Every structure is written in C-alpha cells, then in structure tokens.
Amino acid sequence: MERHRINSIYGEVKYIFLKGKTRPFIGFVSGFAFENFELPLDSGSRHNKGLLLAPTIGFITDVGFIKKAFAEIKFSYDNYFFYDKIDFIK
C-alpha cells in the first residue's frame, strides 16, 4: 500500500494503583479510527473507518524540576476493527 495513514479519535480510562512520586496504572482506550491508502496500480485513494480498542499499562512519574509536571510512559496494543476488509489475494 502507498501513502497509508491511520488517524484516530479516542478516549482513555486509567486506574492508578498507588499514590506517590511514581504511579503505576492500567487503562483502556476506545475510539474511532479512519484509514486512508492507495493500492499499487490502482487509481484513486480508498478510505475505511472502524473501531479502535487498546489495553494499556504504564506509569506516571513526577519530573521533579518543574512543579506539578508529570511524565507518562505507557505501552499499548492497538486493535483496529475496520468495517471493510480488503482482500489483496483473490
């Protein structure tokens, strides 16, 4: 695919385990995804839309040098459930 792009709009819910300087959390992301791409030897671009679901895990930590500033580090596995399935090999 050429010029492949996925944009998303989502919301996230987090559950923070501990209070303190470093705060571990688990979370869940849900939203809507938009896909745009072009197929080789095909004229024009194609568009697709679908659901985004992603579990997350990470932590929030106090950066220390700026008052009330935090850094967030998280890992997630994004799952896209697009409405139109594309079959490249027939």
Side-chain angles (χ1 to χ4, degrees), residues 23-49:
R23 304 170 188 175
F25 67 85
I26 59 171
F28 186 75
V29 172
S30 178
F32 204 65
F34 305 93
E35 181 181 38
N36 297 310
F37 57 91
E38 293 180 15
L39 296 175
L41 305 174
D42 190 276
S43 61
S45 62
R46 298 188 185 207
H47 311 283
N48 202 354
K49 55 188 172 184

mmCIF file of all heavy atoms in Angstrom, residues 23-49:
data_model
loop_
_atom_site.group_PDB
_atom_site.id
_atom_site.type_symbol
_atom_site.label_atom_id
_atom_site.label_comp_id
_atom_site.label_asym_id
_atom_site.label_seq_id
_atom_site.Cartn_x
_atom_site.Cartn_y
_atom_site.Cartn_z
ATOM 1 N N ARG A 23 3.458 6.544 39.845
ATOM 2 C CA ARG A 23 2.111 5.985 39.959
ATOM 3 C C ARG A 23 1.835 5.005 38.817
ATOM 4 O O ARG A 23 1.560 5.419 37.696
ATOM 5 C CB ARG A 23 1.085 7.109 39.898
ATOM 6 C CG ARG A 23 1.312 8.156 40.944
ATOM 7 C CD ARG A 23 0.454 9.353 40.706
ATOM 8 N NE ARG A 23 0.836 10.401 41.632
ATOM 9 C CZ ARG A 23 0.330 11.606 41.614
ATOM 10 N NH1 ARG A 23 -0.574 11.932 40.713
ATOM 11 N NH2 ARG A 23 0.723 12.497 42.488
ATOM 12 N N PRO A 24 1.892 3.703 39.074
ATOM 13 C CA PRO A 24 1.576 2.726 38.025
ATOM 14 C C PRO A 24 0.074 2.690 37.742
ATOM 15 O O PRO A 24 -0.735 2.971 38.624
ATOM 16 C CB PRO A 24 2.064 1.406 38.606
ATOM 17 C CG PRO A 24 2.075 1.609 40.073
ATOM 18 C CD PRO A 24 2.303 3.064 40.322
ATOM 19 N N PHE A 25 -0.274 2.362 36.495
ATOM 20 C CA PHE A 25 -1.691 2.302 36.133
ATOM 21 C C PHE A 25 -1.936 1.245 35.066
ATOM 22 O O PHE A 25 -1.027 0.816 34.366
ATOM 23 C CB PHE A 25 -2.207 3.661 35.642
ATOM 24 C CG PHE A 25 -1.626 4.119 34.330
ATOM 25 C CD1 PHE A 25 -2.165 3.708 33.127
ATOM 26 C CD2 PHE A 25 -0.531 4.963 34.298
ATOM 27 C CE1 PHE A 25 -1.637 4.127 31.919
ATOM 28 C CE2 PHE A 25 0.001 5.397 33.100
ATOM 29 C CZ PHE A 25 -0.554 4.976 31.914
ATOM 30 N N ILE A 26 -3.201 0.830 34.967
ATOM 31 C CA ILE A 26 -3.689 0.074 33.820
ATOM 32 C C ILE A 26 -4.804 0.919 33.215
ATOM 33 O O ILE A 26 -5.440 1.716 33.909
ATOM 34 C CB ILE A 26 -4.194 -1.338 34.191
ATOM 35 C CG1 ILE A 26 -5.338 -1.264 35.200
ATOM 36 C CG2 ILE A 26 -3.078 -2.207 34.697
ATOM 37 C CD1 ILE A 26 -6.021 -2.591 35.438
ATOM 38 N N GLY A 27 -5.017 0.763 31.931
ATOM 39 C CA GLY A 27 -6.028 1.573 31.277
ATOM 40 C C GLY A 27 -6.635 0.879 30.082
ATOM 41 O O GLY A 27 -6.230 -0.222 29.699
ATOM 42 N N PHE A 28 -7.590 1.562 29.507
ATOM 43 C CA PHE A 28 -8.268 1.057 28.317
ATOM 44 C C PHE A 28 -8.614 2.234 27.417
ATOM 45 O O PHE A 28 -9.135 3.248 27.881
ATOM 46 C CB PHE A 28 -9.540 0.302 28.711
ATOM 47 C CG PHE A 28 -10.214 -0.361 27.558
ATOM 48 C CD1 PHE A 28 -9.694 -1.525 27.013
ATOM 49 C CD2 PHE A 28 -11.348 0.192 26.997
ATOM 50 C CE1 PHE A 28 -10.302 -2.132 25.939
ATOM 51 C CE2 PHE A 28 -11.965 -0.410 25.921
ATOM 52 C CZ PHE A 28 -11.444 -1.575 25.395
ATOM 53 N N VAL A 29 -8.297 2.095 26.139
ATOM 54 C CA VAL A 29 -8.572 3.118 25.141
ATOM 55 C C VAL A 29 -9.663 2.608 24.209
ATOM 56 O O VAL A 29 -9.637 1.460 23.784
ATOM 57 C CB VAL A 29 -7.298 3.453 24.328
ATOM 58 C CG1 VAL A 29 -7.606 4.374 23.174
ATOM 59 C CG2 VAL A 29 -6.243 4.047 25.227
ATOM 60 N N SER A 30 -10.605 3.475 23.895
ATOM 61 C CA SER A 30 -11.649 3.143 22.939
ATOM 62 C C SER A 30 -11.907 4.371 22.079
ATOM 63 O O SER A 30 -11.885 5.493 22.576
ATOM 64 C CB SER A 30 -12.926 2.733 23.677
ATOM 65 O OG SER A 30 -13.941 2.447 22.754
ATOM 66 N N GLY A 31 -12.130 4.139 20.801
ATOM 67 C CA GLY A 31 -12.367 5.277 19.923
ATOM 68 C C GLY A 31 -12.735 4.865 18.517
ATOM 69 O O GLY A 31 -13.133 3.733 18.256
ATOM 70 N N PHE A 32 -12.575 5.810 17.607
ATOM 71 C CA PHE A 32 -12.939 5.643 16.221
ATOM 72 C C PHE A 32 -11.707 5.877 15.359
ATOM 73 O O PHE A 32 -10.953 6.823 15.603
ATOM 74 C CB PHE A 32 -14.041 6.639 15.870
ATOM 75 C CG PHE A 32 -14.885 6.235 14.715
ATOM 76 C CD1 PHE A 32 -15.693 5.117 14.777
ATOM 77 C CD2 PHE A 32 -14.882 6.979 13.554
ATOM 78 C CE1 PHE A 32 -16.476 4.739 13.706
ATOM 79 C CE2 PHE A 32 -15.661 6.616 12.473
ATOM 80 C CZ PHE A 32 -16.465 5.500 12.548
ATOM 81 N N ALA A 33 -11.448 5.030 14.359
ATOM 82 C CA ALA A 33 -10.259 5.122 13.511
ATOM 83 C C ALA A 33 -10.651 5.372 12.060
ATOM 84 O O ALA A 33 -11.671 4.875 11.584
ATOM 85 C CB ALA A 33 -9.441 3.846 13.617
ATOM 86 N N PHE A 34 -9.818 6.141 11.374
ATOM 87 C CA PHE A 34 -10.010 6.453 9.960
ATOM 88 C C PHE A 34 -8.752 6.038 9.214
ATOM 89 O O PHE A 34 -7.652 6.417 9.587
ATOM 90 C CB PHE A 34 -10.239 7.953 9.761
ATOM 91 C CG PHE A 34 -11.355 8.502 10.578
ATOM 92 C CD1 PHE A 34 -11.119 9.051 11.826
ATOM 93 C CD2 PHE A 34 -12.655 8.467 10.107
ATOM 94 C CE1 PHE A 34 -12.144 9.559 12.594
ATOM 95 C CE2 PHE A 34 -13.695 8.968 10.864
ATOM 96 C CZ PHE A 34 -13.434 9.516 12.106
ATOM 97 N N GLU A 35 -8.904 5.249 8.146
ATOM 98 C CA GLU A 35 -7.775 4.747 7.367
ATOM 99 C C GLU A 35 -7.864 5.289 5.943
ATOM 100 O O GLU A 35 -8.924 5.258 5.319
ATOM 101 C CB GLU A 35 -7.817 3.220 7.357
ATOM 102 C CG GLU A 35 -6.692 2.577 6.593
ATOM 103 C CD GLU A 35 -6.800 1.066 6.589
ATOM 104 O OE1 GLU A 35 -7.930 0.540 6.486
ATOM 105 O OE2 GLU A 35 -5.770 0.412 6.671
ATOM 106 N N ASN A 36 -6.736 5.768 5.410
ATOM 107 C CA ASN A 36 -6.630 6.227 4.023
ATOM 108 C C ASN A 36 -5.416 5.563 3.394
ATOM 109 O O ASN A 36 -4.362 5.478 4.021
ATOM 110 C CB ASN A 36 -6.449 7.747 3.958
ATOM 111 C CG ASN A 36 -7.635 8.480 4.512
ATOM 112 O OD1 ASN A 36 -8.765 8.201 4.141
ATOM 113 N ND2 ASN A 36 -7.392 9.415 5.413
ATOM 114 N N PHE A 37 -5.550 5.093 2.149
ATOM 115 C CA PHE A 37 -4.425 4.446 1.481
ATOM 116 C C PHE A 37 -4.677 4.381 -0.016
ATOM 117 O O PHE A 37 -5.777 4.623 -0.500
ATOM 118 C CB PHE A 37 -4.187 3.038 2.036
ATOM 119 C CG PHE A 37 -5.386 2.136 1.927
ATOM 120 C CD1 PHE A 37 -5.567 1.336 0.814
ATOM 121 C CD2 PHE A 37 -6.330 2.108 2.942
ATOM 122 C CE1 PHE A 37 -6.669 0.513 0.713
ATOM 123 C CE2 PHE A 37 -7.432 1.284 2.848
ATOM 124 C CZ PHE A 37 -7.607 0.488 1.732
ATOM 125 N N GLU A 38 -3.612 4.055 -0.734
ATOM 126 C CA GLU A 38 -3.684 3.806 -2.173
ATOM 127 C C GLU A 38 -3.079 2.442 -2.444
ATOM 128 O O GLU A 38 -2.074 2.071 -1.844
ATOM 129 C CB GLU A 38 -2.911 4.878 -2.937
ATOM 130 C CG GLU A 38 -3.528 6.248 -2.845
ATOM 131 C CD GLU A 38 -2.730 7.290 -3.606
ATOM 132 O OE1 GLU A 38 -1.865 6.919 -4.432
ATOM 133 O OE2 GLU A 38 -2.966 8.473 -3.360
ATOM 134 N N LEU A 39 -3.680 1.690 -3.346
ATOM 135 C CA LEU A 39 -3.141 0.397 -3.748
ATOM 136 C C LEU A 39 -2.284 0.578 -4.991
ATOM 137 O O LEU A 39 -2.615 1.388 -5.854
ATOM 138 C CB LEU A 39 -4.276 -0.582 -4.039
ATOM 139 C CG LEU A 39 -5.167 -0.952 -2.857
ATOM 140 C CD1 LEU A 39 -6.323 -1.823 -3.330
ATOM 141 C CD2 LEU A 39 -4.372 -1.673 -1.798
ATOM 142 N N PRO A 40 -1.175 -0.163 -5.108
ATOM 143 C CA PRO A 40 -0.363 -0.072 -6.322
ATOM 144 C C PRO A 40 -1.180 -0.438 -7.562
ATOM 145 O O PRO A 40 -2.041 -1.317 -7.507
ATOM 146 C CB PRO A 40 0.749 -1.099 -6.084
ATOM 147 C CG PRO A 40 0.783 -1.296 -4.612
ATOM 148 C CD PRO A 40 -0.625 -1.075 -4.129
ATOM 149 N N LEU A 41 -0.939 0.261 -8.649
ATOM 150 C CA LEU A 41 -1.609 0.050 -9.931
ATOM 151 C C LEU A 41 -3.119 0.275 -9.842
ATOM 152 O O LEU A 41 -3.884 -0.264 -10.632
ATOM 153 C CB LEU A 41 -1.327 -1.364 -10.473
ATOM 154 C CG LEU A 41 0.139 -1.732 -10.598
ATOM 155 C CD1 LEU A 41 0.283 -3.190 -10.999
ATOM 156 C CD2 LEU A 41 0.839 -0.827 -11.591
ATOM 157 N N ASP A 42 -3.540 1.047 -8.886
ATOM 158 C CA ASP A 42 -4.963 1.336 -8.690
ATOM 159 C C ASP A 42 -5.139 2.844 -8.788
ATOM 160 O O ASP A 42 -4.292 3.606 -8.366
ATOM 161 C CB ASP A 42 -5.405 0.829 -7.315
ATOM 162 C CG ASP A 42 -6.912 0.885 -7.170
ATOM 163 O OD1 ASP A 42 -7.401 1.972 -6.826
ATOM 164 O OD2 ASP A 42 -7.577 -0.124 -7.389
ATOM 165 N N SER A 43 -6.220 3.294 -9.339
ATOM 166 C CA SER A 43 -6.433 4.736 -9.450
ATOM 167 C C SER A 43 -7.242 5.245 -8.260
ATOM 168 O O SER A 43 -8.216 4.631 -7.853
ATOM 169 C CB SER A 43 -7.165 5.057 -10.753
ATOM 170 O OG SER A 43 -8.417 4.415 -10.764
ATOM 171 N N GLY A 44 -6.802 6.344 -7.692
ATOM 172 C CA GLY A 44 -7.526 6.959 -6.586
ATOM 173 C C GLY A 44 -7.160 6.376 -5.236
ATOM 174 O O GLY A 44 -6.447 5.386 -5.130
ATOM 175 N N SER A 45 -7.655 7.018 -4.222
ATOM 176 C CA SER A 45 -7.382 6.554 -2.862
ATOM 177 C C SER A 45 -8.624 5.885 -2.283
ATOM 178 O O SER A 45 -9.734 6.087 -2.761
ATOM 179 C CB SER A 45 -6.950 7.727 -1.987
ATOM 180 O OG SER A 45 -7.986 8.672 -1.900
ATOM 181 N N ARG A 46 -8.412 5.090 -1.268
ATOM 182 C CA ARG A 46 -9.514 4.391 -0.599
ATOM 183 C C ARG A 46 -9.576 4.841 0.852
ATOM 184 O O ARG A 46 -8.576 5.207 1.442
ATOM 185 C CB ARG A 46 -9.296 2.887 -0.672
ATOM 186 C CG ARG A 46 -9.282 2.402 -2.093
ATOM 187 C CD ARG A 46 -9.255 0.918 -2.144
ATOM 188 N NE ARG A 46 -9.129 0.512 -3.536
ATOM 189 C CZ ARG A 46 -9.571 -0.627 -4.001
ATOM 190 N NH1 ARG A 46 -10.159 -1.472 -3.201
ATOM 191 N NH2 ARG A 46 -9.413 -0.939 -5.260
ATOM 192 N N HIS A 47 -10.755 4.770 1.391
ATOM 193 C CA HIS A 47 -10.989 5.196 2.767
ATOM 194 C C HIS A 47 -11.710 4.087 3.514
ATOM 195 O O HIS A 47 -12.496 3.353 2.952
ATOM 196 C CB HIS A 47 -11.841 6.469 2.802
ATOM 197 C CG HIS A 47 -11.343 7.546 1.894
ATOM 198 N ND1 HIS A 47 -10.264 8.327 2.213
ATOM 199 C CD2 HIS A 47 -11.761 7.955 0.680
ATOM 200 C CE1 HIS A 47 -10.051 9.184 1.230
ATOM 201 N NE2 HIS A 47 -10.947 8.970 0.278
ATOM 202 N N ASN A 48 -11.427 3.988 4.788
ATOM 203 C CA ASN A 48 -12.038 2.981 5.625
ATOM 204 C C ASN A 48 -12.220 3.582 7.012
ATOM 205 O O ASN A 48 -11.498 4.495 7.400
ATOM 206 C CB ASN A 48 -11.144 1.743 5.688
ATOM 207 C CG ASN A 48 -11.889 0.496 6.064
ATOM 208 O OD1 ASN A 48 -13.065 0.545 6.389
ATOM 209 N ND2 ASN A 48 -11.208 -0.627 6.022
ATOM 210 N N LYS A 49 -13.151 3.077 7.768
ATOM 211 C CA LYS A 49 -13.342 3.542 9.138
ATOM 212 C C LYS A 49 -13.673 2.352 10.015
ATOM 213 O O LYS A 49 -14.117 1.309 9.529
ATOM 214 C CB LYS A 49 -14.433 4.602 9.216
ATOM 215 C CG LYS A 49 -15.753 4.168 8.641
ATOM 216 C CD LYS A 49 -16.712 5.331 8.572
ATOM 217 C CE LYS A 49 -17.956 4.897 7.813
ATOM 218 N NZ LYS A 49 -18.876 5.960 7.611
#
